[in-house]
Amino acid sequence: MKVLFNTATKRSFGLVMLLVFLSLLFIMSMKLGVHHTTWKNIISTFTQFNNSNEHIIIRDVRFPRSLIAIAVGASLGIAGALLQVLTRNPLADTGILGINGGASLFVVMATTLFSVSSLTQYTWIAFLGAAVFGSIVYVLGQTTKSEHSPIRLTLAGAAIAAFTMSLTNAFLVIDESGLQEVLLWVSGSIAGREMDMLLNILPYMVIGWVGSILIATKMDALMLGENIAKSLGQNTIWVKATMGVLVILLAGSAVAIAGPVAFVGLVIPHIAKYMVGLHSRWIILYSGVLGGCLLLISDLFSRLIAMPRELPIGATTALIGVPVFVYIARKGKYTS
Amino acid sequence: MKKNITVRTTNMSFQFEKRTICLTMFLTILGMVVFFLSLSLGKTFDPWAVLRVIFGQGSKTEYLLIVQYRMPRVIIAVMIGAALAVSGAILQGMIKNPLASPNVVGITGGASAAAITWITVFPALSIQYLPFAAFAGAMLNATIIYLLAWKNGMSPLRLVIIGIGMAAFTTALTSMMIVLGPTYVANKAMIWLTGSIYGASWAQITVYLPWIVIFLPASFILLRSLNVAQINDDIAIGVGSPLAKQRVIFLIIAVALAGSAVAIGGAITFVGLMAPHIARKLVGPSFGGVFPISALLGAIIVMIADLIGRTAFQPLSIPVGVFTAAIGAPFFIYLLLKNKS
C-alpha cells in the first residue's frame, strides 16, 4: 500500500502541516462572505471590540460558525474512521448507515410532536435516535454472529435512511410552521448557530475525540480480524461496544448541531489511511483534522457559490463525497 | 384437473396457469372494491352517492366531489401503483437481486431531481412536460449508474451499491434546488417529494396515460425473455437471448414506467419493492404471472395508502409516500433478514 508519510517524524510533520492548513481555512472562513470585511477588522474584533456591524458579524456569526464547522467535521471524520473498522466496511459512514437519519428523525419528531426546543434536549434526543437506528442497522448487517457483510450493511443502512427520511418529511409536511428553517437543518446546515450551542455540545464531542484516540490501540488488532484480535487476548466485545458508543456520541452531537451531514465520515478516513497507513491512532488524529478542513471547505463553498443565498452544507458534502463513494465501490469485489 | 390452460393456434401459443387466472380475478375484484371505497370515503362515508353518480342520478355537488376530485385521484393511484410495481418486477428480474426497486437503484432520485429542477427553473411552464423532464432525469441517472457499475461486465450488487451512492447525490441536488428556488416552491416541492397525489386532475391523467398505455403492454410482450434472463446470464445467452440488448430495452421500460410515475406522484417509495415480492410468493417466479399480479397489487397498495392518508388523520392529509415507506421499510428489513446466509 502506498503511504504518504511512512515514519513517525513525517507523520507528526504532516499533522502540523494539516493544522496550519486548517488555521488558514479558518481565517479564510472568517474573512469571506456576503459582508465585506478587511483583515484589520478581523484583528480588531478580538483586540478592541467596538459594536460595529463588521465586528458583530465576525464575532457572533462567522467565528462560531467556523468553529462549529471544525468541531462537526472532526467528529464526523472520527466517527467514520471508527465505523469503518467496527463494521469492516470501507463504505461505512454515519450518513449512509442511517445513523444521521435516525438522529434527525428523532429531533424532528421531538420538535413537531412535543415542541421541544432546547438544545440540551435536542442533543439527548439525537443521541437516542442515533443509538436506536445505529443498533438496528448494525444487527441487520450481520450475517453470522460476528461477521459483517459490507453489502448487507450498506443495503440495510440505505433502507433505514429511506425510512427515516420519509418519516422526517412527513412530520415536516404536517407541521408547516418554520418549514424553511427546519428544511435547511434537515439537509445539514451550520448557518446561524450560536456559540452557546457549540459550548453545550462540545463536552460530548471532546469525550468522543479523546475516547477514540484512547481506543485506537485496540483498533489495530481489530483491523486484522476479529479472531486475530481475540487470540491476541483482546476482549473484542467490549472494544466494539465502546467504539459503538463513541460513534453514537460523535454522530449524535454532530447531528444535534448541524443536522445530518453525510459523506464526511466516508471520505475522510480513506484520505487519512492514504496519508499515514494502517496506524489507528494516527488515522484518528488525521481524520479529526481532515474532517475539520473538509467541513470548512464545504461551508465556504456553500456560502460563496450562490451568494447571497446559501446551500445546505449536507448537499455540498454529498456532492463531494459521492464520487469518492463510487470510486471505492468500484474497487471492491462483488460476487453474488 | 389440469394446472394449466393452453391456447394454441397455428402461429402462436399461450399457456395460462389456473392459479394465476383465479388470483388475477380475485385481485381485480378486490381492486374494484377498494376503488369503490376510495370514491365513497371522504369526510363522510356515502356509497349511495357514488352509485347515484354512476347511474347519472347524483346532485351537482356529489358529481363535482366524486367525479372531479376523488375519481382522478384514485385513478392516478391505480396507474402509479401498477407502473411502479411492474418497474420493480422488471428491475428485480434483470438485476437478479430481490432488493432492487426503482428507488434503490436511483430512478426515483434522478426523476425527483430533474422534476424539482424543472419546477424551480421553469415555474411557468405547463406540467405537461414534467413527465418528460422526470423521465430524462431518471434515464440519465440510470445510465450513469449503469456505466459506473460496469467493470469487466455487470455485477448486480455493484449496480445496487452505486445506485445507493447516486441516490444520495441526487438527493443533494434536489435539496440544493429547493433551497435555491423561491420560497413558495419549497413547500410544494417538499410535499411532492414525499409522494402525494393531492392535486390529481383529469388533465394529469391525460398527460400520464400515454406512458402507461405504451410501456405497460410493452413489458408484457417482452416478459418471455425476462424469464430466461433472471435464471442465469450463461443460460440466457445459451438459449439465444441477445442479453446486453435486452437489458437496455428493459432498463428503458423500467425507467419510463417509474420515472413518469414519479413525475405525477412524487417519490412514492417501496411499492416497486413490495408488490413483486408478494406476487412472487403468490404465483411463483415466472413473469407471466408476476407482472399482472404485481401490477394489481401495486395499484391496491397505493390506493389503500392514499385512502388511509386522507381519511385516517383528518383534517390532516398525510402524503401517500409516508405510508408506503412506513410499510415498505420494515418489509425490506424482513427481506434482508430472510436472505441471511
Side-chain angles (χ1 to χ4, degrees):
Chain A
M1 190 173 139
K2 225 179 102 190
V3 175
L4 206 60
F5 309 122
N6 50 13
T7 62
T9 340
K10 281 189 197 165
R11 285 186 204 118
S12 319
F13 176 72
L15 193 62
V16 173
M17 293 303 291
L18 278 179
L19 284 171
V20 171
F21 182 56
L22 185 71
S23 323
L24 282 176
L25 284 172
F26 184 73
I27 294 166
M28 297 259 286
S29 168
M30 303 266 279
K31 168 107 171 73
L32 299 175
V34 178
H35 209 93
H36 183 75
T37 44
T38 62
W39 293 110
K40 227 168 102 188
N41 257 328
I42 295 175
I43 297 165
S44 58
T45 304
F46 296 99
T47 51
Q48 44 208 43
F49 189 74
N50 66 359
N51 272 324
S52 68
N53 263 347
E54 283 82 19
H55 282 193
I56 290 174
I57 285 173
I58 291 170
R59 192 192 64 173
D60 292 348
V61 179
R62 289 193 195 156
F63 184 64
R65 182 176 185 153
S66 313
L67 283 182
I68 288 169
I70 294 174
V72 168
S75 301
L76 289 174
I78 293 174
L82 292 177
L83 209 55
Q84 289 183 8
V85 176
L86 188 64
T87 60
R88 305 183 65 78
N89 181 355
L91 293 174
D93 167 65
T94 52
I96 297 166
L97 294 191
I99 299 174
N100 292 353
S104 43
L105 171 64
F106 270 45
V107 172
V108 169
M109 266 168 69
T111 45
T112 50
L113 294 183
F114 308 109
S115 324
V116 172
S117 57
S118 98
L119 191 75
T120 326
Q121 286 166 315
Y122 265 18
T123 317
W124 286 102
I125 291 161
F127 286 154
L128 189 67
V132 168
F133 286 97
S135 322
I136 293 177
V137 172
Y138 188 80
V139 171
L140 286 174
Q142 275 179 335
T143 39
T144 58
K145 265 205 176 122
S146 59
E147 286 302 306
H148 272 84
S149 147
I151 291 154
R152 282 179 61 88
L153 201 67
T154 315
L155 286 173
I160 291 292
F163 178 67
T164 53
M165 201 168 91
S166 144
L167 284 187
T168 308
N169 284 350
F171 282 111
L172 291 183
V173 170
I174 293 169
D175 184 30
E176 287 176 11
S177 58
L179 173 78
Q180 198 62 25
E181 193 189 319
V182 187
L183 190 66
L184 206 59
W185 182 83
V186 161
S187 39
S189 165
I190 53 169
R193 303 294 192 271
E194 282 158 23
M195 206 61 194
D196 289 356
M197 292 183 166
L198 180 64
L199 293 178
N200 253 320
I201 285 183
L202 204 59
Y204 306 110
M205 288 183 163
V206 171
I207 295 172
W209 300 342
V210 174
S212 309
I213 293 170
L214 291 178
I215 199 106
T217 39
K218 313 265 190 211
M219 278 163 57
D220 278 329
L222 205 58
M223 266 200 247
L224 297 171
E226 180 116 18
N227 288 334
I228 294 178
K230 267 187 195 149
S231 65
L232 287 170
Q234 192 181 89
N235 186 349
T236 49
I237 293 175
W238 191 85
V239 173
K240 282 165 109 177
T242 316
M243 285 167 72
V245 171
L246 289 170
V247 168
I248 285 158
L249 213 57
L250 289 166
S253 44
V255 170
I257 195 161
V261 178
F263 287 100
V264 178
L266 174 87
V267 177
I268 292 303
H270 287 279
I271 305 176
K273 249 179 255 172
Y274 167 72
M275 286 182 162
V276 295
L278 298 171
H279 299 272
S280 298
R281 187 161 280 173
W282 285 108
I283 291 180
I284 299 280
L285 283 171
Y286 269 67
S287 294
V289 181
L290 284 166
C293 292
L294 180 67
L295 221 64
L296 272 180
I297 295 173
S298 309
D299 185 42
L300 275 172
F301 181 81
S302 319
R303 258 161 39 185
L304 301 178
I305 192 76
M307 277 205 296
R309 278 167 181 277
E310 249 181 52
L311 298 182
I313 193 169
T316 315
T317 55
L319 295 183
I320 299 172
V322 169
V324 180
F325 178 94
V326 169
Y327 172 75
I328 301 164
R330 276 178 63 83
K331 268 206 326 200
K333 287 190 185 71
Y334 300 108
T335 44
S336 38
Chain B
M1 204 169 102
K2 276 199 302 185
K3 246 182 88 186
N4 297 312
I5 301 168
T6 311
V7 180
R8 261 204 197 97
T9 62
T10 42
N11 43 20
M12 57 161 92
S13 74
F14 288 104
Q15 200 171 39
F16 300 100
E17 220 176 309
K18 275 199 178 140
R19 188 178 157 79
T20 311
I21 294 176
C22 290
L23 267 168
T24 310
M25 267 151 50
F26 171 71
L27 286 174
T28 313
I29 293 166
L30 182 66
M32 282 156 98
V33 171
V34 177
F35 189 92
F36 185 73
L37 272 179
S38 296
L39 286 185
S40 354
L41 260 169
K43 277 215 172 66
T44 52
F45 178 65
D46 193 359
W48 300 114
V50 181
L51 288 178
R52 278 201 297 275
V53 169
I54 290 171
F55 293 108
Q57 305 290 313
S59 69
K60 241 191 170 134
T61 16
E62 282 170 352
Y63 183 82
L64 186 77
L65 184 71
I66 289 165
V67 177
Q68 288 303 319
Y69 289 112
R70 285 190 199 150
M71 201 182 272
R73 184 167 177 163
V74 186
I75 292 176
I76 286 275
V78 170
M79 282 159 60
I80 287 175
L84 286 174
V86 171
S87 172
I90 293 175
L91 288 171
Q92 284 170 14
M94 195 182 78
I95 303 177
K96 292 193 286 276
N97 188 320
L99 301 174
S101 73
N103 60 310
V104 170
V105 300
I107 294 179
T108 316
S112 305
I116 290 283
T117 311
W118 188 260
I119 295 177
T120 14
V121 181
F122 310 106
L125 279 179
S126 129
I127 58 143
Q128 210 173 334
Y129 303 106
L130 201 61
F132 289 98
F135 172 71
M139 199 65 220
L140 182 69
N141 200 27
T143 315
I144 292 174
I145 292 168
Y146 199 81
L147 290 178
L148 286 175
W150 184 275
K151 191 180 164 192
N152 306 321
M154 177 52 62
S155 150
L157 274 178
R158 202 186 300 124
L159 190 76
V160 173
I161 296 282
I162 298 223
I164 290 171
M166 287 305 289
F169 192 78
T170 49
T171 310
L173 278 183
T174 310
S175 60
M176 240 173 80
M177 282 300 159
I178 294 182
V179 173
L180 290 182
T183 315
Y184 69 90
V185 176
N187 199 9
K188 203 171 127 199
M190 204 66 204
I191 292 173
W192 184 82
L193 276 179
T194 325
S196 92
I197 43 178
Y198 284 141
S201 62
W202 287 103
Q204 272 187 333
I205 294 180
T206 44
V207 171
Y208 188 33
L209 200 62
W211 295 80
I212 296 282
V213 172
I214 295 169
F215 288 103
L216 217 48
S219 64
F220 280 78
I221 293 167
L222 294 167
L223 63 87
R224 279 170 55 135
S225 34
L226 199 58
N227 271 336
V228 189
Q230 73 167 344
I231 303 171
N232 183 310
D233 286 4
D234 296 336
I235 290 175
I237 295 165
V239 298
S241 282
L243 201 59
K245 204 169 95 189
Q246 275 171 7
R247 272 204 182 121
V248 174
I249 294 172
F250 278 122
L251 196 63
I252 290 175
I253 295 177
V255 168
L257 284 173
S260 55
V262 173
I264 298 293
I268 298 176
T269 50
F270 288 106
V271 176
L273 179 86
M274 284 189 286
H277 272 283
I278 304 172
R280 229 170 287 136
K281 264 257 144 52
L282 291 174
V283 293
S286 166
F287 279 100
V290 169
F291 272 1
I293 299 287
S294 33
L296 284 166
L297 283 171
I300 292 172
I301 291 173
V302 176
M303 273 197 290
I304 291 179
D306 184 49
L307 184 62
I308 297 175
R310 75 187 157 90
T311 54
F313 299 92
Q314 274 175 2
L316 287 176
S317 187
I318 316 276
V320 198
V322 172
F323 281 94
T324 57
I327 318 165
F331 189 83
F332 186 86
I333 287 163
Y334 158 76
L335 287 177
L336 262 180
L337 287 175
K338 210 187 67 179
N339 293 336
K340 219 170 218 191
S341 56

